[in-house]
Every structure is written in structure tokens, then in C-alpha cells.
Amino acid sequence: MSRAEAIARITGYFDEGGFFADLARRVAIHTESQEPSQKPELYRYLTDEMRPSLEPLGFECRIFDNPVERGGPFLVARRHEADGLPTVMSYGHGDVVRGYDDQWQEGLNPWELKKVGERWYGRGTADNKGQHTINLAALSAVLEARGRLGFNVTLLIETSEENGSPGLREFCAAHKALFGADVFIASDGPRLAPERPTVFMGARGVFNFDLTVDLRAGGHHSGNWGGLLANPGIILAHAIASLTGPTGEILVPEWRPPAIPNSVRAAVAGLEIDGGPEGPEVDPDWGEPGLTPAERVFAWNSFEVLAFKTGNPDNPVNAIPPRAGAHCHLRYVVPSDPEAFMPGLRRHLDAQGFGMVEITPAEDVMAATRLDPEHPWARWAIASLEATSGKAVAVLPNLGGSLPNDVFSEVLGLPTIWVPHSYAACSQHAPNEHILEPVSREALQLMTGLFWDLGAGGTPAD
Ligand SMILES: [Zn+2]
């Protein structure tokens, strides 16, 4: 059997409805990890769906309880073919965000996969059941076509990613021996544009914090006290305004990354940001001046005010509010130092006369990661995807969004290659989540080609 025949086989699986059927069964399991009452469903996804799919392919499956109480179980599935072959680690998450069942478009239900035109709707289609279903089907197609894979696989399926991946780091650190590999290849997140095969090798980090100005116990009538009492909303607005220029340029020195490395600049040159027909337009003059849109989202840090509240916005009264608060965050790239973010902010606010602004950083920080686009495994994967698709692959040194990738890149020390199968306007985390039929079909072909090539020799592991 040849590479082309393996790809023909996976195309048949898609065209004859095999992919739809496999994904429909998985979508139907209510794996809402943010709902503690659904924990049995998290186990069921692993025991009744993943294990019976993987064991016939020669995977040895083990299910582990999460070391963290609120976390769901892990599945580790290993297929060891022979010593001396390359070993790939892969990953997926079987949990989804809440269904929000009553907010979907007429005729749609989050737990029932439904095709409407080129869109396949269902909770988890994009994030992440559809994506790992594609990768498992591709492995299976290579195994059938070649009679063996030509490499070893260790697969980790977690079930609390949408809950912040509690226990993932501890679990991987404690079971490092299970996850020895040459390369990490997995799928999550969006392509740069729907028709453009994409790889990313890391993720921006995310750092959340609250800013508060709390001046007094209660509100006071604005007629009797206006002009006499300081307004916390105005103070906080000025404090926030001192953090960026009027078009979002970051002014806190510790929040700004050093110059963009040439390899990163070269990788993102010419990438056009396209959220699909229903995505928003990029604001040309927002963010760091002199950077292209791709550099702003993939190679720079951004600061956002996510929510800002003073008084009672739903029911304003004639009073000077006692308090104002804002929930903010930074998305940041390698090699920014998150340890310096809050001391830098404190120094900056104090210097501007905003000593009364309190800073409360969130406990969970997601680290930034990035693999050099010139890394041998990155070049190998890009070449394979280009051979299958005949298209130029979009190469992102890191995703704009955030993933627990540092567990794989730092704790396990693996070169990490992500091949996303979704697109930016997929409504992931919202009602009407969906995947696109042509993207899914192409993704199955791309992953079959990639896994074929992994077992064909001549990889960076040899
Ligand atoms: Zn998600």
C-alpha cells in the first residue's frame, strides 16, 4: 500500500459517513467538565468510547483518576510497535464547555451532531472531539494501509481542559516515564483561515489580574457630595488609560517583549488574519505601531480590559459609587517574564500617582511557549502537510490563544507540533459550535499523510 492509497482510504471513511458516525457518538456524551454532576460522563467517555475505539488498534489503555479532586480522569493509551522506532506523543481532551442547550439556533441541539450545509453542529465538534477523532481515524487508516504504523504512539486524553486542566501538570510530572517520546503532535484550536492548513508550535501565555479602587463604605448622593468626594470610576479609568496609549500600545516596560526574533518575523510574514465570513474585521490601527496584524497577535503581547464596573450599570442611581473594579489580562509571548508583570505594574501605577489602585493577580498563570519554526520537527511536519495538500502551510511559532502546552514542552521536554482542524468563527465555547465539512475532510487526509510519513523513515528521530 502506498501513501496515496492510505489517503484514499481515509477519504472513503469520510465520504461514506464513518467520520460522521464516530463523531456523533462522541458528541452525544455530555462531558461538561465545569458541571461537577457530569463527572460520570467524563469517565464514560474514556471507558465506553475511547477504550473500545483504541483497543482494536492495538493500544494498551489505562485510566487514571485525577490527582486533583475537581479534575476528571485521564486515559493513557500506548501502542508500542518496536524499540528503535520514532515515538509520538499525542493529546486530546474529551470534555467540553457547558451545552447552553436552550441558546442554540432553532432545530439544533448541542448533543446531536447535525449537518446544515457545510457546517456540522454539535458541542465539542471543534473543541476537541472532532479534532482528536480526526487524528485517531488517521492513525487507524495508516495502520490498515501499511499493516503497521512504523512508529510507537502514546496518547493522553484528559477530561478537564475546559476547567483549566487541573492535575494535568502533576499527572505528567508524576508519570514522566510513560510519556517518553521524540515528538508531540496533537490538534486543537483554529487554523489561520479555513482553507489554509496551519501548524503552531506553542501558545501565548495568559495572565489575569484585577484592579480595584475602593474608597469608602457606601455610595453618597451626587448632589450633596459631588465635587467633594473622589470618584473611584474616574480614578480607575485614568489608571487604566496610563497603561496603554489611546490605540492600545502597551506602555508598561515589563509588559513589552524584547524585539521579535528574525525566525519568528519570517514565519509570520505574509500571514493574513482571516476569521472567516462571519469573523470580525481587524482594526488596522490598534496595538503596537509598526507591527503587522500577524506580528501583533502571534509575536507580541496584548493587554485587555475584559470587564469594568462602577456603581450599578443595570440600574444607575444618583450616587458617587464607593468602588470601581476592572478584570484585566495580558496575553504574552516567549520570552516575556510573567514574574515581572505585577511588580512592573505597581511601579508604573505608583509613578503615575495611582498608589490607591489595588492589584490582585489571579492564581493560575498559563505559561507562554514557542518552538522555533526552523526546528527539524517543525520543518518535517510542514513538508508533509504541504506534500498532501499542495498548499503553503501557515506556520505560527505560537498560537495567539493559550493552551497548557508548557506541560508537554517544558515538563515533558518534547518538541510540540499542533495541527489545528477548526477555524476562528467556529463558535467554540458558545452556542452553535460547529466544524466545516471541507476542512474536516482535508484534515483527515493531512493527518493520514503525516502519520504515514512518520512511519516511513527519514524523520528527525532517525
Ligand atoms: Zn475549549
Side-chain angles (χ1 to χ4, degrees):
M1 268 255 186
S2 67
R3 190 181 197 273
E5 284 164 320
I7 291 174
R9 183 180 283 267
I10 199 74
T11 308
Y13 161 79
F14 185 88
D15 292 346
E16 287 150 29
F19 178 65
F20 190 96
D22 284 342
L23 184 55
R25 255 189 352 264
R26 291 170 189 170
V27 165
I29 303 177
H30 295 222
T31 52
E32 299 166 286
S33 57
Q34 297 153 346
E35 293 288 346
S37 64
Q38 297 288 31
K39 206 164 189 178
E41 291 292 277
L42 303 180
Y43 277 90
R44 197 161 76 82
Y45 192 77
L46 301 185
T47 56
D48 294 12
E49 185 51 49
M50 287 291 110
R51 187 148 62 186
S53 303
L54 289 163
E55 280 177 348
L57 305 179
F59 280 86
E60 221 179 279
C61 296
R62 282 175 75 188
I63 292 169
F64 296 83
D65 293 332
N66 196 305
V68 174
E69 171 60 29
R70 72 184 175 95
F74 297 101
L75 170 78
V76 179
R78 300 177 81 193
R79 189 179 191 283
H80 185 81
E81 212 161 78
D83 293 340
L85 294 177
T87 298
V88 62
M89 177 179 175
S90 193
Y91 160 88
H93 65 90
D95 64 310
V96 295
V97 295
R98 292 184 180 88
Y100 304 114
D101 299 30
D102 51 358
Q103 296 176 36
W104 288 53
Q105 243 166 218
E106 178 91 27
L108 298 179
N109 163 346
W111 313 111
E112 192 190 324
L113 183 64
K114 190 157 180 186
K115 170 177 153 65
V116 181
E118 284 191 340
R119 294 176 170 201
W120 292 13
Y121 288 94
R123 177 58 82 222
T125 49
D127 182 15
N128 170 266
K129 291 173 177 175
Q131 303 219 22
H132 63 255
T133 296
I134 286 170
N135 295 357
L136 298 184
L139 280 173
S140 164
V142 170
L143 187 55
E144 284 172 27
R146 188 181 260 150
R148 59 193 185 88
L149 289 175
F151 56 91
N152 305 312
V153 188
T154 303
L155 171 68
L156 171 65
I157 302 281
E158 73 156 316
T159 58
S160 344
E161 198 267 355
E162 303 296 359
N163 214 1
S165 296
L168 177 66
R169 177 180 309 272
E170 296 86 333
F171 180 74
C172 286
H175 294 89
K176 241 176 152 167
L178 283 178
F179 300 115
D182 296 291
V183 64
F184 174 97
I185 299 174
S187 298
D188 202 9
R191 287 180 167 194
L192 180 73
E195 69 289 348
R196 186 101 189 257
T198 300
V199 294
F200 61 88
M201 280 88 76
R204 286 206 290 187
V206 61
F207 192 110
N208 288 282
F209 57 96
D210 287 300
L211 297 179
T212 316
V213 176
D214 200 343
L215 296 183
R216 55 190 80 85
H220 293 278
H221 192 275
S222 58
N224 298 335
W225 294 97
L228 301 175
L229 296 183
N231 184 308
I234 295 175
I235 293 172
L236 186 55
H238 279 273
I240 290 171
S242 77
L243 304 178
T244 75
T247 54
E249 170 191 2
I250 292 174
L251 300 180
V252 181
E254 291 83 351
W255 290 6
R256 298 169 57 83
I260 301 173
N262 286 336
S263 59
V264 171
R265 209 178 268 279
V268 304
L271 294 183
E272 204 174 312
I273 311 296
D274 175 7
E278 284 169 44
E281 288 285 309
V282 171
D283 287 316
D285 299 320
W286 186 256
E288 182 69 14
L291 300 188
T292 65
E295 287 169 346
R296 285 187 259 148
V297 69
F298 299 126
W300 203 253
N301 298 351
S302 61
F303 165 68
E304 305 297 342
V305 178
L306 304 177
F308 187 141
K309 186 175 169 186
T310 191
N312 183 349
D314 296 324
N315 188 15
V317 294
N318 292 326
I320 300 160
R323 185 179 183 281
H327 186 66
C328 307
H329 81 196
L330 283 161
R331 297 267 177 182
Y332 65 99
V333 295
V334 169
S336 308
D337 176 13
E339 302 267 330
F341 290 162
M342 294 301 102
L345 174 61
R346 182 73 273 161
R347 188 197 46 71
H348 178 92
L349 288 174
D350 289 349
Q352 307 286 321
F354 295 115
M356 75 294 275
V357 177
E358 286 168 46
I359 304 170
T360 315
E363 272 174 33
D364 296 332
V365 178
M366 217 182 265
T369 56
R370 173 191 283 166
L371 181 69
D372 193 291
E374 294 294 322
H375 189 281
W377 275 110
R379 295 170 65 131
W380 170 85
I382 293 161
S384 169
L385 299 173
E386 296 198 326
T388 304
S389 65
K391 298 176 183 173
V393 169
V395 179
L396 315 181
N398 50 261
L399 193 66
S402 302
L403 284 172
N405 189 55
D406 65 312
V407 173
F408 313 117
S409 67
E410 310 308 313
V411 177
L412 299 178
L414 303 176
T416 51
I417 311 280
W418 293 83
V419 187
H421 306 321
S422 175
Y423 78 119
C426 65
S427 298
Q428 147 197 22
H429 295 189
N432 308 321
E433 177 178 350
H434 61 278
I435 45 173
L436 298 177
E437 187 170 283
V439 173
S440 303
R441 189 173 186 271
E442 182 186 56
L444 284 161
Q445 298 168 336
L446 291 172
M447 295 308 289
T448 300
L450 192 69
F451 289 136
W452 181 274
D453 293 344
L454 186 58
T459 67
D462 293 325

